[in-house]
Amino acid sequence: MSRIEELPDAHAKPTASQTTPTRPLPSTETPFPIPPKAKNQDDSITPVLPPAMDSVRSYSADEIVQMMKKTPLFMTNLDESGGGGDEDNEENMQLEALRALQYEGTPSEIALGFKERGNEMVAEKRWKDAKEFYTKAILALKAPKEEASPHEEAEKEKERKVEEACYINRALCNLELQNFRSTLHDTSRTLLLNPTNTKAHYRSALALLHLARHTEALDACTRGLALTSTTLASTKNIAKRPPPPPEHAAFLTLHDRILAEQTRADTAAKEKTEREERRKKEQRTLKAAIHARAIRVRMTSNPPDLEDAAMRLLPDPLSPTSTLHFPVLLLYPTHGESDFVKQVAETEVWGEVLGMVLGDKLPWDAEGEFKIEGVESYMQTREGGMVKVGRKVRVLDVLGGKDGKVEVVDGVVRVFVVPKGRVRGWVEEMKARKGQQES
């Protein structure tokens, strides 16, 4: 009887003897993510690299080192982490555990470690670094607690003492950094934890002194003096009283300093008030004197900077009978030049003022046209016209009077000085300008 051999089914799995050995496929895992730009590169000449090699070739050596430092195995600092995205959080799942191991212990122990590092920075006068460590200690104490401690009361007392020390030490840092309002914040937090902390009163008084809040500074200093005097007053026998602590002497010195600063500030404020009151009185007197002389004054929205030159009464600015003085601006329109006289009395004759300016030859007057006998003076009227100023006329006669046509603009008397031979042409030019402005 012949044996019938069965043929293998088309869907049957091949036997071991029938399987053809093949090479394993390359892994698609990459040590670093391939940037999108690198993935989309289309270069028909350059052969496609395996994913692992492609990921390495996509970055510079420095970039690879920085990415390696973000993984726990290669980290040199626990603060070196990713940008905070989801990928970084997934890749650094062990990072928080490592940080927890770094600061292992109770909140008071962790805070104490930060405080000691802050104290080291203070010893080196590295105030910013010390402030940062004290802040970390305070944050460590405020971190949520996972489990209740069997010694909860004792732990709370430890935390309170460490927190008090950190706040008062951070106040010192802020004081040295001249962050006086931050100093007040830290000293107030210290006093909430311990109202008898003398350093808090002392540093609070110093910060308030720097902020020129003298009354509050005296109050803080007085409270500190009361605290440091307690031990002295508690001993009735004067002979047996201990010497005052160093803090007491420091508070006394600060108290005297605050009083001296307050006295200087009060004196300066009083003098400033008196000066302001006198200035107002002078302005009122000047205004009354100008009104009594029927002098018209107009101020513009953009007056010139005259420094200390101004209309004033001399010798006594508070007496309306004193002589009125004006700053005078002499304009030479034909030559584009000018002269400025800071004070001209109302009683002076215009020719004398002109002679004082034109007595010497002007440096820009090449032709010698500006001599007192060869020039004429004009002032502009309120309507825009011109009025001639004679050499024998007093300044007050030109400016004052019920029928006065001129005005003092921005506290300055403006006078045009023109050579006689050029007066006609200049007047025609002024008329033409006025006509253009009116049209």
Side-chain angles (χ1 to χ4, degrees):
M1 183 176 180
S2 61
R3 185 169 62 86
I4 301 174
E5 294 182 358
E6 294 183 356
L7 297 175
D9 189 79
H11 300 285
K13 294 181 180 179
T15 61
S17 60
Q18 296 173 331
T19 303
T20 304
T22 57
R23 295 178 61 186
L25 294 173
S27 173
T28 58
E29 295 183 359
T30 61
F32 309 107
I34 302 176
K37 185 176 180 180
K39 287 182 179 180
N40 298 331
Q41 285 180 348
D42 185 13
D43 194 338
S44 58
I45 300 176
T46 305
V48 178
L49 297 174
M53 294 181 64
D54 194 14
S55 68
V56 174
R57 291 285 297 274
S58 301
Y59 299 94
S60 66
D62 291 338
E63 291 173 336
I64 291 175
V65 170
Q66 291 301 321
M67 286 189 290
M68 290 177 68
K69 285 184 177 181
K70 294 178 183 179
T71 59
L73 182 60
F74 298 99
M75 278 186 178
T76 58
N77 188 340
L78 288 180
D79 290 335
E80 291 176 346
S81 58
D86 295 337
E87 293 182 2
D88 291 322
N89 293 334
E90 292 174 2
E91 292 176 359
N92 298 324
M93 293 294 291
Q94 301 173 8
L95 183 58
E96 292 302 323
L98 290 173
R99 283 179 175 155
L101 289 174
Q102 183 187 25
Y103 305 129
E104 190 173 358
T106 63
S108 62
E109 291 171 345
I110 296 172
L112 187 60
F114 282 127
K115 184 183 84 70
E116 290 175 352
R117 289 286 293 129
N119 292 347
E120 293 173 6
M121 297 297 103
V122 168
E124 300 176 11
K125 296 186 177 182
R126 294 167 56 180
W127 306 113
K128 288 185 179 180
D129 295 333
K131 178 183 174 182
E132 183 178 349
F133 278 114
Y134 292 135
T135 301
K136 287 183 178 180
I138 294 169
L139 293 176
L141 293 171
K142 296 183 182 298
K145 301 173 179 60
E146 297 181 358
E147 299 179 359
S149 171
H151 310 288
E152 187 172 355
E153 291 302 322
E155 180 65 21
K156 282 185 177 180
E157 180 60 19
K158 289 181 182 179
E159 291 179 6
R160 188 198 65 77
K161 290 182 178 180
V162 174
E163 186 176 9
E164 177 188 351
C166 288
Y167 271 120
I168 194 58
N169 290 351
R170 194 173 73 173
L172 172 63
C173 298
N174 280 317
L175 196 60
E176 292 292 341
L177 294 170
Q178 298 186 1
N179 300 330
F180 302 123
R181 287 179 174 79
S182 297
T183 302
L184 294 176
H185 172 268
D186 288 343
T187 53
S188 64
R189 297 294 300 181
T190 304
L191 292 172
L192 286 175
L193 295 167
N194 180 11
T196 63
N197 190 305
T198 55
K199 289 183 179 179
H201 288 289
Y202 185 83
R203 289 168 188 171
S204 177
L206 265 180
L208 290 166
L209 175 60
H210 283 290
L211 293 171
R213 293 160 59 177
H214 301 105
T215 303
E216 296 170 81
L218 276 175
D219 180 68
C221 192
T222 303
R223 292 174 186 271
L225 278 170
L227 289 172
T228 56
S229 301
T230 303
T231 55
L232 301 177
S234 61
T235 305
K236 295 182 179 180
N237 190 343
I238 299 177
K240 292 183 178 181
R241 283 184 182 179
E247 294 87 353
H248 189 76
F251 273 111
L252 286 175
T253 303
L254 180 59
H255 188 271
D256 293 342
R257 179 182 169 189
I258 294 171
L259 283 177
E261 289 290 336
Q262 186 177 38
T263 302
R264 279 194 289 269
D266 291 344
T267 302
K270 183 180 178 181
E271 291 175 352
K272 181 180 179 182
T273 302
E274 291 175 352
R275 286 195 302 270
E276 185 64 22
E277 288 297 324
R278 180 179 175 84
R279 187 189 66 82
K280 290 180 180 179
K281 288 181 180 179
E282 290 179 1
Q283 289 294 324
R284 289 194 295 267
T285 306
L286 177 63
K287 186 175 181 180
I290 292 172
H291 180 74
R293 292 162 173 78
I295 298 174
R296 293 161 180 80
V297 177
R298 177 171 60 88
M299 300 301 293
T300 63
S301 58
N302 189 23
D305 182 12
L306 302 178
E307 297 181 353
D308 59 339
M311 291 189 299
R312 54 170 55 93
L313 289 167
L314 295 175
D316 184 7
L318 296 178
S319 174
T321 59
S322 293
T323 304
L324 191 59
H325 289 68
F326 302 88
V328 176
L329 178 64
L330 285 83
L331 300 168
Y332 311 109
T334 57
H335 289 67
E337 298 289 345
S338 63
D339 277 316
F340 184 72
V341 183
K342 294 180 68 173
Q343 286 186 4
V344 174
E346 60 181 336
T347 55
E348 289 189 64
V349 177
W350 178 244
E352 295 176 357
V353 178
L354 202 59
M356 178 181 63
V357 177
L358 303 181
D360 298 327
K361 182 179 179 181
L362 300 175
W364 43 264
D365 183 18
E367 299 179 6
E369 295 180 88
F370 287 86
K371 296 180 180 179
I372 188 168
E373 300 84 3
V375 296
E376 292 184 358
S377 303
Y378 295 86
M379 292 185 67
Q380 192 169 14
T381 63
R382 286 173 291 167
E383 293 77 15
M386 290 291 168
V387 59
K388 187 176 179 180
V389 182
R391 291 198 299 271
K392 297 182 179 180
V393 178
R394 294 187 310 163
V395 174
L396 178 60
D397 296 334
V398 181
L399 299 176
K402 295 182 179 179
D403 299 328
K405 297 181 180 180
V406 300
E407 60 183 357
V408 180
V409 181
D410 291 330
V412 180
V413 176
R414 291 171 171 82
V415 182
F416 296 91
V417 180
V418 184
K420 290 182 178 179
R422 304 190 185 213
V423 169
R424 180 175 295 181
W426 175 71
V427 171
E428 293 297 329
E429 182 181 350
M430 294 295 292
K431 289 181 180 179
R433 289 182 182 178
K434 182 181 178 183
Q436 291 177 356
Q437 292 175 356
E438 291 177 352
S439 61

